[in-house]
Amino acid sequence: MEETKDFQPTCPMPFKQYPKILLSHGGGGTLMHQLIEDMFLASFGNSIINARDDAAVLEGLSSRIAYTTDSYVVQPIFFPGGDIGSLAVNGTVNDLAMSGARPLFLTAGFILEEGLDMEVLWRVVKSMTRAAKKAGVSIVAGDTKVVDKGKGDGIYINTSGIGFIEHDQRISPRMVQNGDVLILSGDIGRHGIAVMAIREGLEFESDIKSDCAPLVHMVADMIAGGIELHCMRDLTRGGLAGALNEIAENSQKAIHIDQCSIPVQDDVSAACEMLGFDPLYVANEGKFIAFVPEKDARHAVNILKQHPQGREASIIGEVKDRDKGIVTMKTRIGTTRIVGMLSGEQLPRIC
Amino acid sequence: MEETKDFQPTCPMPFKQYPKILLSHGGGGTLMHQLIEDMFLASFGNSIINARDDAAVLEGLSSRIAYTTDSYVVQPIFFPGGDIGSLAVNGTVNDLAMSGARPLFLTAGFILEEGLDMEVLWRVVKSMTRAAKKAGVSIVAGDTKVVDKGKGDGIYINTSGIGFIEHDQRISPRMVQNGDVLILSGDIGRHGIAVMAIREGLEFESDIKSDCAPLVHMVADMIAGGIELHCMRDLTRGGLAGALNEIAENSQKAIHIDQCSIPVQDDVSAACEMLGFDPLYVANEGKFIAFVPEKDARHAVNILKQHPQGREASIIGEVKDRDKGIVTMKTRIGTTRIVGMLSGEQLPRIC
């Protein structure tokens, strides 16, 4: 697995003395100080966070920025293709990318459960460091809280992020137009099924890996390539169906997709069938949908196909001038059905 | 209590059907959608968050901003003088204010435990709304996760914040100078003791209320008043002693304070004695320390005294040109002792 290639197997020395997280690691005293200095700053270190101020001071900003936050509570902490650390970086980076911003700065807030293995925290921090480097962002501020044993689940992470918007496009559900073409950046359903498989101890014929990855480079290339982007959304909780329903509602447009054009890996498809899931609703962590005018659709797909994560990019539907706020799908057998929003969730704690 | 003055006692209608938080409220489906629309957007609503984009788009920024994050895990959720909601707003607003910024935008990430009373969430959200208004900030992006019963403690909140820096001062431990005067904005120890008292079911002769409040207006007035601010720090986890030790270490200066000049309310002092706490280490949520050149010290104190939270502002010490990185204190009985950093924590989960 790529994630483990440069994996440092052991914590640095100061932590040998405390192999588990104690309440004192969040108490504002010397143990917390040591954790911040020798784990977080030693890993995330950059000139901004190293200043150790209450707030990071950012200079020379563009006048238009994107700003977002997400908390991550995925269970288990490590899963095929990623972990809570890479997820916490990529998830927030991707939310910024979806507004057409270049992600630049992240904050990281840790809620640790008393008794957590220091080694686990170390692996997560290293994974965040690698993911941040890959996405081109710096972690510039952070916070650590420790809660009593039984009041958490090992580790929860919140990240917030800031990105610069360096173009004049307005990218939002409100910009969706009749006739827009929907481009899906790749196959769906891998993240949710990868997490579910390991959680339930299910054995599939092949190892399904999460698609957890930063989308920022694909988006940057589309913007640089002159693609007119009306709306983008990454396909996390609620999956493709959830994202399309939100866009349909917020834009008050009718979205129509074609099931045959939506790529799903065979093993993901088989796992979904076995578990009774519809891949349309399963979460992804490295896939997005883009609404572009028809004139740009082919060009956009070609740009995406040049990226490893975009090789299966395809046109999957269009925006129609009829039943507003509704998502419809032409099924494999040729019928048309409404794709609604699920009331509950298929898979709890997958991000 | 001021916090309850405009308290709306009941949730809006849609929540009657679901009096408790379900895992589905975090699942990306219709229940989560309802929670976002009818609770969070209905309360926090502003043109930026109402756009419902993956990231908030902020326009017309200054070229220098402050950026920070904190998670809040205080237990109990409601305490005399505040709650986790007002704390989550004021704590982050105050971190921004300490860098001399004017706080403007917050994000809010909720980690809710399955089974949480919807009414409790509603009260917290209302409290955040009031606190944000008071501090002059808008909540522009948010996220909600629900974790299984027994994997949380009702409600954890992360907030991140952005503020504009609209002056040319550099405010940081690195700017501390020999001869600087230390100004404390008021009496210490109230927040930690207020939380501890209710948690332990202790009855004191008088009700000790948390000092939870935004510091932004005091800081703005000092900047407008031309005060040269070298360093500021709010006195949260680790208390006054923790903050001074951090500043001493990061500035490599010697800090000397006078115990007699540090205001502590009689009831706080009595409670500390009873519980075996030193108020120097007890957390505050509406107090800060400022390092200013001697020429500005009197003027700064006078500015602070004009604010309800600053009535007891006083000069409590100075920066000396000797034992670098050390905090010393002249005690009530006239001796001098080193004020170290605690290794653990006096009070777990007070913020």
PDB file of all heavy atoms in Angstrom, chain A residues 26 30 56 58-59 65 67 70-71 143-144 151 156 160 170 237 342, chain B residues 26 30 56 58-59 65 67-68 70-71 143-144 151 156 160 170 237 342:
ATOM      1  N   GLY A  26      -3.649  16.314  27.621  1.00  0.00           N
ATOM      2  CA  GLY A  26      -4.512  17.401  27.161  1.00  0.00           C
ATOM      3  C   GLY A  26      -4.677  18.492  28.189  1.00  0.00           C
ATOM      4  O   GLY A  26      -5.544  19.347  28.052  1.00  0.00           O
ATOM      5  N   THR A  30       3.238  20.073  31.186  1.00  0.00           N
ATOM      6  CA  THR A  30       4.448  19.668  30.459  1.00  0.00           C
ATOM      7  C   THR A  30       4.212  18.496  29.507  1.00  0.00           C
ATOM      8  O   THR A  30       4.812  18.430  28.448  1.00  0.00           O
ATOM      9  CB  THR A  30       5.588  19.280  31.433  1.00  0.00           C
ATOM     10  OG1 THR A  30       5.090  18.329  32.365  1.00  0.00           O
ATOM     11  CG2 THR A  30       6.106  20.486  32.171  1.00  0.00           C
ATOM     12  N   ALA A  56      -2.547  31.301  13.938  1.00  0.00           N
ATOM     13  CA  ALA A  56      -1.558  31.411  12.869  1.00  0.00           C
ATOM     14  C   ALA A  56      -1.782  32.731  12.144  1.00  0.00           C
ATOM     15  O   ALA A  56      -2.920  33.143  11.940  1.00  0.00           O
ATOM     16  CB  ALA A  56      -1.736  30.255  11.889  1.00  0.00           C
ATOM     17  N   LEU A  58      -1.404  34.569   8.657  1.00  0.00           N
ATOM     18  CA  LEU A  58      -1.193  34.283   7.239  1.00  0.00           C
ATOM     19  C   LEU A  58      -1.038  35.603   6.496  1.00  0.00           C
ATOM     20  O   LEU A  58      -1.812  36.525   6.690  1.00  0.00           O
ATOM     21  CB  LEU A  58      -2.387  33.516   6.669  1.00  0.00           C
ATOM     22  CG  LEU A  58      -2.861  32.307   7.489  1.00  0.00           C
ATOM     23  CD1 LEU A  58      -4.067  31.670   6.837  1.00  0.00           C
ATOM     24  CD2 LEU A  58      -1.741  31.289   7.651  1.00  0.00           C
ATOM     25  N   GLU A  59      -0.042  35.667   5.637  1.00  0.00           N
ATOM     26  CA  GLU A  59       0.268  36.930   4.946  1.00  0.00           C
ATOM     27  C   GLU A  59       0.010  36.796   3.455  1.00  0.00           C
ATOM     28  O   GLU A  59      -0.003  35.703   2.907  1.00  0.00           O
ATOM     29  CB  GLU A  59       1.758  37.273   5.139  1.00  0.00           C
ATOM     30  CG  GLU A  59       2.251  37.123   6.545  1.00  0.00           C
ATOM     31  CD  GLU A  59       2.520  38.455   7.215  1.00  0.00           C
ATOM     32  OE1 GLU A  59       2.355  39.498   6.543  1.00  0.00           O
ATOM     33  OE2 GLU A  59       2.876  38.457   8.397  1.00  0.00           O
ATOM     34  N   ILE A  65     -11.177  33.899  -0.722  1.00  0.00           N
ATOM     35  CA  ILE A  65     -10.727  32.605  -0.235  1.00  0.00           C
ATOM     36  C   ILE A  65     -11.915  31.673   0.015  1.00  0.00           C
ATOM     37  O   ILE A  65     -13.036  32.118   0.209  1.00  0.00           O
ATOM     38  CB  ILE A  65      -9.857  32.699   1.041  1.00  0.00           C
ATOM     39  CG1 ILE A  65     -10.678  33.133   2.247  1.00  0.00           C
ATOM     40  CG2 ILE A  65      -8.672  33.624   0.829  1.00  0.00           C
ATOM     41  CD1 ILE A  65      -9.898  33.052   3.546  1.00  0.00           C
ATOM     42  N   TYR A  67     -13.234  28.535   2.581  1.00  0.00           N
ATOM     43  CA  TYR A  67     -13.023  28.232   3.993  1.00  0.00           C
ATOM     44  C   TYR A  67     -14.001  27.122   4.362  1.00  0.00           C
ATOM     45  O   TYR A  67     -15.192  27.233   4.078  1.00  0.00           O
ATOM     46  CB  TYR A  67     -13.303  29.511   4.781  1.00  0.00           C
ATOM     47  CG  TYR A  67     -13.100  29.458   6.280  1.00  0.00           C
ATOM     48  CD1 TYR A  67     -12.166  28.618   6.860  1.00  0.00           C
ATOM     49  CD2 TYR A  67     -13.829  30.304   7.118  1.00  0.00           C
ATOM     50  CE1 TYR A  67     -11.980  28.611   8.235  1.00  0.00           C
ATOM     51  CE2 TYR A  67     -13.644  30.313   8.488  1.00  0.00           C
ATOM     52  CZ  TYR A  67     -12.725  29.463   9.035  1.00  0.00           C
ATOM     53  OH  TYR A  67     -12.549  29.458  10.394  1.00  0.00           O
ATOM     54  N   ASP A  70     -14.456  20.003   8.516  1.00  0.00           N
ATOM     55  CA  ASP A  70     -15.053  18.674   8.626  1.00  0.00           C
ATOM     56  C   ASP A  70     -14.430  17.971   9.828  1.00  0.00           C
ATOM     57  O   ASP A  70     -13.243  18.143  10.093  1.00  0.00           O
ATOM     58  CB  ASP A  70     -14.785  17.837   7.369  1.00  0.00           C
ATOM     59  CG  ASP A  70     -16.000  17.783   6.443  1.00  0.00           C
ATOM     60  OD1 ASP A  70     -17.126  17.744   6.951  1.00  0.00           O
ATOM     61  OD2 ASP A  70     -15.809  17.774   5.227  1.00  0.00           O
ATOM     62  N   SER A  71     -15.242  17.187  10.520  1.00  0.00           N
ATOM     63  CA  SER A  71     -14.717  16.310  11.566  1.00  0.00           C
ATOM     64  C   SER A  71     -14.692  14.893  11.013  1.00  0.00           C
ATOM     65  O   SER A  71     -15.513  14.532  10.170  1.00  0.00           O
ATOM     66  CB  SER A  71     -15.602  16.359  12.809  1.00  0.00           C
ATOM     67  OG  SER A  71     -15.638  17.662  13.339  1.00  0.00           O
ATOM     68  N   ASP A 143      -4.899  21.850  17.843  1.00  0.00           N
ATOM     69  CA  ASP A 143      -5.399  21.795  19.214  1.00  0.00           C
ATOM     70  C   ASP A 143      -5.540  20.331  19.599  1.00  0.00           C
ATOM     71  O   ASP A 143      -5.856  19.490  18.760  1.00  0.00           O
ATOM     72  CB  ASP A 143      -6.766  22.485  19.295  1.00  0.00           C
ATOM     73  CG  ASP A 143      -7.380  22.369  20.680  1.00  0.00           C
ATOM     74  OD1 ASP A 143      -6.733  22.825  21.644  1.00  0.00           O
ATOM     75  OD2 ASP A 143      -8.490  21.821  20.809  1.00  0.00           O
ATOM     76  N   THR A 144      -5.311  20.030  20.871  1.00  0.00           N
ATOM     77  CA  THR A 144      -5.453  18.664  21.360  1.00  0.00           C
ATOM     78  C   THR A 144      -6.303  18.646  22.617  1.00  0.00           C
ATOM     79  O   THR A 144      -6.035  19.409  23.553  1.00  0.00           O
ATOM     80  CB  THR A 144      -4.077  18.066  21.726  1.00  0.00           C
ATOM     81  OG1 THR A 144      -3.193  18.286  20.641  1.00  0.00           O
ATOM     82  CG2 THR A 144      -4.188  16.578  21.995  1.00  0.00           C
ATOM     83  N   LYS A 151     -15.279   7.735  26.647  1.00  0.00           N
ATOM     84  CA  LYS A 151     -16.009   8.919  26.170  1.00  0.00           C
ATOM     85  C   LYS A 151     -15.556   9.321  24.771  1.00  0.00           C
ATOM     86  O   LYS A 151     -15.784  10.461  24.334  1.00  0.00           O
ATOM     87  CB  LYS A 151     -15.795  10.097  27.143  1.00  0.00           C
ATOM     88  CG  LYS A 151     -16.259   9.826  28.563  1.00  0.00           C
ATOM     89  CD  LYS A 151     -17.761   9.651  28.629  1.00  0.00           C
ATOM     90  CE  LYS A 151     -18.228   9.446  30.080  1.00  0.00           C
ATOM     91  NZ  LYS A 151     -19.662   9.113  30.124  1.00  0.00           N
ATOM     92  N   TYR A 156     -10.573  11.186  17.247  1.00  0.00           N
ATOM     93  CA  TYR A 156     -11.403  11.947  16.325  1.00  0.00           C
ATOM     94  C   TYR A 156     -10.558  13.147  15.879  1.00  0.00           C
ATOM     95  O   TYR A 156      -9.805  13.708  16.678  1.00  0.00           O
ATOM     96  CB  TYR A 156     -12.678  12.473  17.006  1.00  0.00           C
ATOM     97  CG  TYR A 156     -13.624  11.392  17.504  1.00  0.00           C
ATOM     98  CD1 TYR A 156     -14.377  11.582  18.662  1.00  0.00           C
ATOM     99  CD2 TYR A 156     -13.790  10.197  16.805  1.00  0.00           C
ATOM    100  CE1 TYR A 156     -15.259  10.604  19.124  1.00  0.00           C
ATOM    101  CE2 TYR A 156     -14.669   9.215  17.260  1.00  0.00           C
ATOM    102  CZ  TYR A 156     -15.394   9.418  18.421  1.00  0.00           C
ATOM    103  OH  TYR A 156     -16.263   8.456  18.873  1.00  0.00           O
ATOM    104  N   SER A 160      -9.921  22.133   9.543  1.00  0.00           N
ATOM    105  CA  SER A 160     -10.538  23.203   8.768  1.00  0.00           C
ATOM    106  C   SER A 160      -9.503  23.589   7.731  1.00  0.00           C
ATOM    107  O   SER A 160      -8.327  23.238   7.861  1.00  0.00           O
ATOM    108  CB  SER A 160     -10.923  24.395   9.648  1.00  0.00           C
ATOM    109  OG  SER A 160      -9.796  25.180   9.966  1.00  0.00           O
ATOM    110  N   ARG A 170     -17.550  31.516 -10.737  1.00  0.00           N
ATOM    111  CA  ARG A 170     -18.384  31.267  -9.557  1.00  0.00           C
ATOM    112  C   ARG A 170     -18.833  29.815  -9.682  1.00  0.00           C
ATOM    113  O   ARG A 170     -19.494  29.459 -10.646  1.00  0.00           O
ATOM    114  CB  ARG A 170     -19.614  32.169  -9.542  1.00  0.00           C
ATOM    115  CG  ARG A 170     -19.304  33.649  -9.582  1.00  0.00           C
ATOM    116  CD  ARG A 170     -19.062  34.196  -8.188  1.00  0.00           C
ATOM    117  NE  ARG A 170     -18.144  35.345  -8.256  1.00  0.00           N
ATOM    118  CZ  ARG A 170     -17.832  36.111  -7.220  1.00  0.00           C
ATOM    119  NH1 ARG A 170     -18.345  35.874  -6.028  1.00  0.00           N
ATOM    120  NH2 ARG A 170     -16.984  37.105  -7.351  1.00  0.00           N
ATOM    121  N   ARG A 237     -20.239  11.329   2.178  1.00  0.00           N
ATOM    122  CA  ARG A 237     -21.462  10.787   2.796  1.00  0.00           C
ATOM    123  C   ARG A 237     -22.674  10.971   1.883  1.00  0.00           C
ATOM    124  O   ARG A 237     -22.916  12.070   1.410  1.00  0.00           O
ATOM    125  CB  ARG A 237     -21.763  11.532   4.104  1.00  0.00           C
ATOM    126  CG  ARG A 237     -21.109  10.938   5.304  1.00  0.00           C
ATOM    127  CD  ARG A 237     -21.544  11.664   6.557  1.00  0.00           C
ATOM    128  NE  ARG A 237     -21.144  13.084   6.546  1.00  0.00           N
ATOM    129  CZ  ARG A 237     -21.344  13.919   7.560  1.00  0.00           C
ATOM    130  NH1 ARG A 237     -21.962  13.494   8.639  1.00  0.00           N
ATOM    131  NH2 ARG A 237     -20.948  15.171   7.496  1.00  0.00           N
ATOM    132  N   LEU A 342     -31.587   9.113   0.690  1.00  0.00           N
ATOM    133  CA  LEU A 342     -31.879   8.156   1.753  1.00  0.00           C
ATOM    134  C   LEU A 342     -32.287   8.906   3.008  1.00  0.00           C
ATOM    135  O   LEU A 342     -31.768   9.984   3.281  1.00  0.00           O
ATOM    136  CB  LEU A 342     -30.652   7.310   2.072  1.00  0.00           C
ATOM    137  CG  LEU A 342     -30.274   6.194   1.112  1.00  0.00           C
ATOM    138  CD1 LEU A 342     -29.193   5.337   1.755  1.00  0.00           C
ATOM    139  CD2 LEU A 342     -31.468   5.325   0.769  1.00  0.00           C
TER     140      LEU A 342
ATOM    141  N   GLY B  26     -26.366  11.907  11.193  1.00  0.00           N
ATOM    142  CA  GLY B  26     -25.039  12.197  10.645  1.00  0.00           C
ATOM    143  C   GLY B  26     -24.761  11.439   9.359  1.00  0.00           C
ATOM    144  O   GLY B  26     -23.624  11.396   8.917  1.00  0.00           O
ATOM    145  N   THR B  30     -31.845  12.331   4.571  1.00  0.00           N
ATOM    146  CA  THR B  30     -32.836  13.381   4.822  1.00  0.00           C
ATOM    147  C   THR B  30     -32.820  13.886   6.269  1.00  0.00           C
ATOM    148  O   THR B  30     -33.063  15.061   6.515  1.00  0.00           O
ATOM    149  CB  THR B  30     -34.274  12.905   4.494  1.00  0.00           C
ATOM    150  OG1 THR B  30     -34.496  11.673   5.166  1.00  0.00           O
ATOM    151  CG2 THR B  30     -34.460  12.704   3.004  1.00  0.00           C
ATOM    152  N   ALA B  56     -17.124  27.715   2.342  1.00  0.00           N
ATOM    153  CA  ALA B  56     -17.610  29.096   2.325  1.00  0.00           C
ATOM    154  C   ALA B  56     -16.664  29.930   1.471  1.00  0.00           C
ATOM    155  O   ALA B  56     -15.450  29.728   1.515  1.00  0.00           O
ATOM    156  CB  ALA B  56     -17.637  29.641   3.743  1.00  0.00           C
ATOM    157  N   LEU B  58     -15.200  33.561   0.942  1.00  0.00           N
ATOM    158  CA  LEU B  58     -15.077  34.852   1.630  1.00  0.00           C
ATOM    159  C   LEU B  58     -14.465  35.853   0.670  1.00  0.00           C
ATOM    160  O   LEU B  58     -13.469  35.562   0.004  1.00  0.00           O
ATOM    161  CB  LEU B  58     -14.188  34.695   2.865  1.00  0.00           C
ATOM    162  CG  LEU B  58     -14.520  33.520   3.790  1.00  0.00           C
ATOM    163  CD1 LEU B  58     -13.532  33.454   4.938  1.00  0.00           C
ATOM    164  CD2 LEU B  58     -15.936  33.638   4.318  1.00  0.00           C
ATOM    165  N   GLU B  59     -15.046  37.036   0.633  1.00  0.00           N
ATOM    166  CA  GLU B  59     -14.604  38.046  -0.341  1.00  0.00           C
ATOM    167  C   GLU B  59     -13.987  39.243   0.375  1.00  0.00           C
ATOM    168  O   GLU B  59     -14.247  39.484   1.546  1.00  0.00           O
ATOM    169  CB  GLU B  59     -15.802  38.564  -1.157  1.00  0.00           C
ATOM    170  CG  GLU B  59     -16.719  37.491  -1.657  1.00  0.00           C
ATOM    171  CD  GLU B  59     -16.593  37.277  -3.158  1.00  0.00           C
ATOM    172  OE1 GLU B  59     -15.832  38.036  -3.796  1.00  0.00           O
ATOM    173  OE2 GLU B  59     -17.244  36.361  -3.678  1.00  0.00           O
ATOM    174  N   ILE B  65      -4.246  37.770   7.746  1.00  0.00           N
ATOM    175  CA  ILE B  65      -5.311  37.246   8.592  1.00  0.00           C
ATOM    176  C   ILE B  65      -4.742  36.342   9.676  1.00  0.00           C
ATOM    177  O   ILE B  65      -3.642  35.817   9.560  1.00  0.00           O
ATOM    178  CB  ILE B  65      -6.399  36.488   7.801  1.00  0.00           C
ATOM    179  CG1 ILE B  65      -5.878  35.165   7.228  1.00  0.00           C
ATOM    180  CG2 ILE B  65      -6.983  37.348   6.685  1.00  0.00           C
ATOM    181  CD1 ILE B  65      -6.979  34.315   6.623  1.00  0.00           C
ATOM    182  N   TYR B  67      -5.635  32.863  11.959  1.00  0.00           N
ATOM    183  CA  TYR B  67      -6.366  31.626  11.676  1.00  0.00           C
ATOM    184  C   TYR B  67      -6.089  30.660  12.825  1.00  0.00           C
ATOM    185  O   TYR B  67      -4.927  30.447  13.183  1.00  0.00           O
ATOM    186  CB  TYR B  67      -5.841  31.079  10.341  1.00  0.00           C
ATOM    187  CG  TYR B  67      -6.480  29.815   9.805  1.00  0.00           C
ATOM    188  CD1 TYR B  67      -7.800  29.495  10.071  1.00  0.00           C
ATOM    189  CD2 TYR B  67      -5.752  28.964   8.983  1.00  0.00           C
ATOM    190  CE1 TYR B  67      -8.364  28.350   9.542  1.00  0.00           C
ATOM    191  CE2 TYR B  67      -6.319  27.818   8.448  1.00  0.00           C
ATOM    192  CZ  TYR B  67      -7.622  27.516   8.734  1.00  0.00           C
ATOM    193  OH  TYR B  67      -8.184  26.379   8.199  1.00  0.00           O
ATOM    194  N   THR B  68      -7.119  30.097  13.409  1.00  0.00           N
ATOM    195  CA  THR B  68      -6.903  29.218  14.556  1.00  0.00           C
ATOM    196  C   THR B  68      -7.995  28.164  14.673  1.00  0.00           C
ATOM    197  O   THR B  68      -9.011  28.234  13.972  1.00  0.00           O
ATOM    198  CB  THR B  68      -6.828  30.043  15.861  1.00  0.00           C
ATOM    199  OG1 THR B  68      -6.312  29.215  16.908  1.00  0.00           O
ATOM    200  CG2 THR B  68      -8.197  30.558  16.274  1.00  0.00           C
ATOM    201  N   ASP B  70      -9.837  25.266  17.819  1.00  0.00           N
ATOM    202  CA  ASP B  70      -9.891  24.642  19.140  1.00  0.00           C
ATOM    203  C   ASP B  70     -11.074  23.686  19.171  1.00  0.00           C
ATOM    204  O   ASP B  70     -12.107  23.961  18.573  1.00  0.00           O
ATOM    205  CB  ASP B  70     -10.086  25.699  20.241  1.00  0.00           C
ATOM    206  CG  ASP B  70      -8.782  26.013  20.979  1.00  0.00           C
ATOM    207  OD1 ASP B  70      -7.976  25.085  21.189  1.00  0.00           O
ATOM    208  OD2 ASP B  70      -8.573  27.174  21.344  1.00  0.00           O
ATOM    209  N   SER B  71     -10.888  22.569  19.873  1.00  0.00           N
ATOM    210  CA  SER B  71     -12.018  21.669  20.115  1.00  0.00           C
ATOM    211  C   SER B  71     -12.461  21.873  21.563  1.00  0.00           C
ATOM    212  O   SER B  71     -11.650  22.204  22.430  1.00  0.00           O
ATOM    213  CB  SER B  71     -11.617  20.213  19.906  1.00  0.00           C
ATOM    214  OG  SER B  71     -11.198  20.005  18.579  1.00  0.00           O
ATOM    215  N   ASP B 143     -20.113  21.268  10.085  1.00  0.00           N
ATOM    216  CA  ASP B 143     -20.113  19.839   9.796  1.00  0.00           C
ATOM    217  C   ASP B 143     -20.703  19.124  11.004  1.00  0.00           C
ATOM    218  O   ASP B 143     -20.530  19.566  12.139  1.00  0.00           O
ATOM    219  CB  ASP B 143     -18.676  19.350   9.556  1.00  0.00           C
ATOM    220  CG  ASP B 143     -18.614  17.851   9.366  1.00  0.00           C
ATOM    221  OD1 ASP B 143     -19.277  17.364   8.434  1.00  0.00           O
ATOM    222  OD2 ASP B 143     -17.932  17.165  10.142  1.00  0.00           O
ATOM    223  N   THR B 144     -21.405  18.025  10.758  1.00  0.00           N
ATOM    224  CA  THR B 144     -21.988  17.244  11.844  1.00  0.00           C
ATOM    225  C   THR B 144     -21.643  15.780  11.668  1.00  0.00           C
ATOM    226  O   THR B 144     -21.843  15.229  10.596  1.00  0.00           O
ATOM    227  CB  THR B 144     -23.533  17.358  11.837  1.00  0.00           C
ATOM    228  OG1 THR B 144     -23.879  18.726  11.751  1.00  0.00           O
ATOM    229  CG2 THR B 144     -24.117  16.771  13.099  1.00  0.00           C
ATOM    230  N   LYS B 151     -19.520   6.230  22.642  1.00  0.00           N
ATOM    231  CA  LYS B 151     -18.269   6.608  21.971  1.00  0.00           C
ATOM    232  C   LYS B 151     -18.087   8.122  21.963  1.00  0.00           C
ATOM    233  O   LYS B 151     -17.288   8.654  21.177  1.00  0.00           O
ATOM    234  CB  LYS B 151     -18.267   6.081  20.521  1.00  0.00           C
ATOM    235  CG  LYS B 151     -18.394   4.571  20.403  1.00  0.00           C
ATOM    236  CD  LYS B 151     -17.182   3.858  20.956  1.00  0.00           C
ATOM    237  CE  LYS B 151     -17.284   2.351  20.775  1.00  0.00           C
ATOM    238  NZ  LYS B 151     -16.201   1.653  21.480  1.00  0.00           N
ATOM    239  N   TYR B 156     -19.393  17.221  21.453  1.00  0.00           N
ATOM    240  CA  TYR B 156     -18.083  17.867  21.333  1.00  0.00           C
ATOM    241  C   TYR B 156     -18.192  18.861  20.172  1.00  0.00           C
ATOM    242  O   TYR B 156     -18.847  18.585  19.168  1.00  0.00           O
ATOM    243  CB  TYR B 156     -16.981  16.848  21.009  1.00  0.00           C
ATOM    244  CG  TYR B 156     -16.746  15.796  22.078  1.00  0.00           C
ATOM    245  CD1 TYR B 156     -16.364  14.496  21.740  1.00  0.00           C
ATOM    246  CD2 TYR B 156     -16.892  16.097  23.437  1.00  0.00           C
ATOM    247  CE1 TYR B 156     -16.139  13.526  22.707  1.00  0.00           C
ATOM    248  CE2 TYR B 156     -16.668  15.126  24.407  1.00  0.00           C
ATOM    249  CZ  TYR B 156     -16.296  13.844  24.041  1.00  0.00           C
ATOM    250  OH  TYR B 156     -16.081  12.885  25.006  1.00  0.00           O
ATOM    251  N   SER B 160     -13.177  26.651  14.229  1.00  0.00           N
ATOM    252  CA  SER B 160     -11.980  27.313  13.728  1.00  0.00           C
ATOM    253  C   SER B 160     -12.402  28.742  13.437  1.00  0.00           C
ATOM    254  O   SER B 160     -13.599  29.032  13.359  1.00  0.00           O
ATOM    255  CB  SER B 160     -11.417  26.626  12.490  1.00  0.00           C
ATOM    256  OG  SER B 160     -12.152  26.970  11.347  1.00  0.00           O
ATOM    257  N   ARG B 170       3.277  43.579  15.253  1.00  0.00           N
ATOM    258  CA  ARG B 170       3.534  42.134  15.312  1.00  0.00           C
ATOM    259  C   ARG B 170       3.358  41.747  16.767  1.00  0.00           C
ATOM    260  O   ARG B 170       4.082  42.257  17.630  1.00  0.00           O
ATOM    261  CB  ARG B 170       4.957  41.808  14.861  1.00  0.00           C
ATOM    262  CG  ARG B 170       5.293  42.278  13.471  1.00  0.00           C
ATOM    263  CD  ARG B 170       4.911  41.248  12.416  1.00  0.00           C
ATOM    264  NE  ARG B 170       4.609  41.922  11.158  1.00  0.00           N
ATOM    265  CZ  ARG B 170       4.351  41.287  10.012  1.00  0.00           C
ATOM    266  NH1 ARG B 170       4.366  39.970   9.987  1.00  0.00           N
ATOM    267  NH2 ARG B 170       4.060  41.954   8.920  1.00  0.00           N
ATOM    268  N   ARG B 237      -6.487  26.692  29.473  1.00  0.00           N
ATOM    269  CA  ARG B 237      -5.833  25.534  30.098  1.00  0.00           C
ATOM    270  C   ARG B 237      -4.448  25.889  30.615  1.00  0.00           C
ATOM    271  O   ARG B 237      -3.651  26.454  29.882  1.00  0.00           O
ATOM    272  CB  ARG B 237      -5.652  24.411  29.074  1.00  0.00           C
ATOM    273  CG  ARG B 237      -6.821  23.483  28.976  1.00  0.00           C
ATOM    274  CD  ARG B 237      -6.517  22.347  28.020  1.00  0.00           C
ATOM    275  NE  ARG B 237      -6.304  22.829  26.646  1.00  0.00           N
ATOM    276  CZ  ARG B 237      -6.078  22.032  25.610  1.00  0.00           C
ATOM    277  NH1 ARG B 237      -6.002  20.725  25.792  1.00  0.00           N
ATOM    278  NH2 ARG B 237      -5.917  22.520  24.392  1.00  0.00           N
ATOM    279  N   LEU B 342       2.840  22.949  35.340  1.00  0.00           N
ATOM    280  CA  LEU B 342       2.393  21.680  35.906  1.00  0.00           C
ATOM    281  C   LEU B 342       2.684  20.558  34.928  1.00  0.00           C
ATOM    282  O   LEU B 342       2.612  20.745  33.721  1.00  0.00           O
ATOM    283  CB  LEU B 342       0.888  21.720  36.165  1.00  0.00           C
ATOM    284  CG  LEU B 342       0.391  22.485  37.377  1.00  0.00           C
ATOM    285  CD1 LEU B 342      -1.083  22.156  37.592  1.00  0.00           C
ATOM    286  CD2 LEU B 342       1.169  22.137  38.633  1.00  0.00           C
TER     287      LEU B 342
END
